[in-house]
Amino acid sequence: MCSAQEPGGGMGVYLIGGKRTAVVPRGGGFRDLSLEALGAPVVVALLEAAGIAPGQVDEVVLANAIGPGGNPARRVALAAGLPERVAGLSVDRQCAGGLDAVLLAAALIGAGMAEVVVAGGVESHSQRPERRMPGAAAPYDAAPFTPWPERDPDMAAAADALGRRLGISRARAEDWAVASHRKARAADMGGEVVPVAGVGRDAFARNLTPALAARAKVVAGDVTAATAAVAADAAAFVLVVSERVAAGAGRACRLAGGATRGSVPWEPGLAPLVAMREVMGRAGIGPGDLALAEVMEAYAVQAIACVEGAGLDPLRVNRKGGALARGHPIGASGAVLAVRAFHDLEAGSGLCAIAAAGGIGTALLLER
């Protein structure tokens, strides 16, 4: 059983299960699936694996960033056969939402408002609706994340600027991407992936060689299609419970801490550093105490900057590959990190961290 100081004191908060779909690039095997068709099978499998009856679930907290609205948490809860009293709470903090859903679940339990919460995210780039401002001739791709257009950069351009400022070369970023694909192709993730629509393995990981990476299409400056995560569809959830419920679980990791913090909005790639340092500081541990870390790879440059900025051991980061080898299902990406950490953490501390547009970073610490 995992142990550490829980967020905010009080009763302990635990993760006793984690499941996800495969991550599939936009237009792939999940292209015709609604959010509930993606998410409900994962919730069902998660509860079955943990031995939790649907009637024990108090809430579903679900992150979604680009869907059509309509409270997808409620839709997933109903489609998964949960009791009608489970209202469903949908959250949008862009890329950070999947981890924030876990922290919100922990807050509900810590406050005595729930004992069993399904938390995670579902995203479908394939089913993304067209968005258009009134009177505009064309739809827009990215919503504004600050009130100031001049301080609200395109994410790829921001990653390129960050790499240039920190001296992270295109070659280093390509090496990171190559390693991510290599680790993912060698990994066995069968215990965490729920087959949906006949897809049971991450679809994007490939034999990315240095030569192929060097020939990849440029996205912005030194950022290329090889060093930027592809848009993707996926669902991922963890089961967050009280100490009383966790006492009967076979595998449990205690939520040792978490934080979401803002940073300068024009350099979003470094935003997780604030949250990572705070979470480790509260727990009284340093980077060398971590058994593993799951750090979001929206861009290779951003991942390298966060790993080096936080002093993490690269050999303990994304040991089975990261988002560069899977894809980026925005609202679900943080939850994918939590599922990965839950399954791979055998002893000690595990850290999850992700950046979001607008200069937001979230970090979560597990202990086993």
Side-chain angles (χ1 to χ4, degrees), residues 241-312:
V241 303
S242 67
E243 186 171 358
R244 185 189 69 82
V245 175
R251 178 181 178 87
C253 286
R254 195 170 185 183
L255 181 55
T260 301
R261 295 291 179 262
S263 185
V264 291
W266 54 90
E267 202 167 52
L270 293 183
L273 290 177
V274 178
M276 293 161 76
R277 291 166 182 156
E278 181 174 326
V279 165
M280 287 190 286
R282 284 180 183 171
I285 65 172
D289 298 312
L290 295 172
L292 61 81
E294 292 290 330
V295 177
M296 183 59 189
E297 297 175 348
Y299 299 94
V301 161
Q302 165 257 319
I304 294 169
C306 285
V307 168
E308 294 186 346
L312 305 182

Side-chain angles (χ1 to χ4, degrees), residues 9-14 52 54-61 85-89 101-119 238-246:
M11 296 294 290
V13 178
Y14 293 80
I52 296 293
Q56 292 177 260
V57 177
D58 296 307
E59 185 60 283
V60 172
V61 184
R85 62 174 174 75
V86 177
L89 172 64
V102 181
L103 297 183
L104 285 170
L108 288 172
I109 292 168
M113 298 174 66
E115 284 205 285
V116 177
V117 181
V118 174
V238 293
L239 196 54
V240 189
V241 303
S242 67
E243 186 171 358
R244 185 189 69 82
V245 175

Side-chain angles (χ1 to χ4, degrees), residues 35-36 59-60 62 64 68-78 86-91:
L35 296 180
E36 56 265 36
E59 185 60 283
V60 172
L62 179 153
N64 179 261
N71 193 5
R74 174 66 168 172
R75 289 157 51 193
V76 168
L78 292 173
V86 177
L89 172 64
S90 298
V91 299

Side-chain angles (χ1 to χ4, degrees), residues 9 14 21 42 46 55 71 116 129 141 147 161 165 194 221 230 236 259 283 293-294 300 323 356:
Y14 293 80
T21 65
V42 180
L46 175 67
N71 193 5
V116 177
D141 183 59
R165 184 174 77 77
V194 177
V230 298
E294 292 290 330

Side-chain angles (χ1 to χ4, degrees), residues 175-187 201 205-208 315 319-321 325:
D175 288 344
W176 184 279
V178 168
S180 184
H181 281 266
R182 183 186 69 249
K183 290 184 287 187
R185 292 180 73 231
R201 184 173 178 84
R206 62 196 189 280
N207 183 22
L208 181 66
L315 297 178
R319 298 187 307 189
K320 292 184 178 178

Side-chain angles (χ1 to χ4, degrees), residues 78-184:
L78 292 173
L82 300 184
E84 292 179 355
R85 62 174 174 75
V86 177
L89 172 64
S90 298
V91 299
D92 174 9
R93 208 175 239 159
Q94 294 295 304
C95 311
L99 280 186
D100 285 327
V102 181
L103 297 183
L104 285 170
L108 288 172
I109 292 168
M113 298 174 66
E115 284 205 285
V116 177
V117 181
V118 174
V122 181
E123 201 75 79
S124 174
H125 267 278
S126 299
Q127 296 277 315
R128 179 181 187 175
E130 183 177 278
R131 299 181 293 181
R132 189 187 303 262
M133 295 297 290
Y140 65 88
D141 183 59
F145 299 109
T146 81
W148 315 288
E150 73 280 5
R151 287 182 279 177
D152 190 11
D154 171 80
M155 293 297 100
D160 178 60
L162 178 64
R164 294 178 186 277
R165 184 174 77 77
L166 298 181
I168 302 171
S169 68
R170 173 172 169 171
R172 283 190 65 201
E174 290 170 351
D175 288 344
W176 184 279
V178 168
S180 184
H181 281 266
R182 183 186 69 249
K183 290 184 287 187

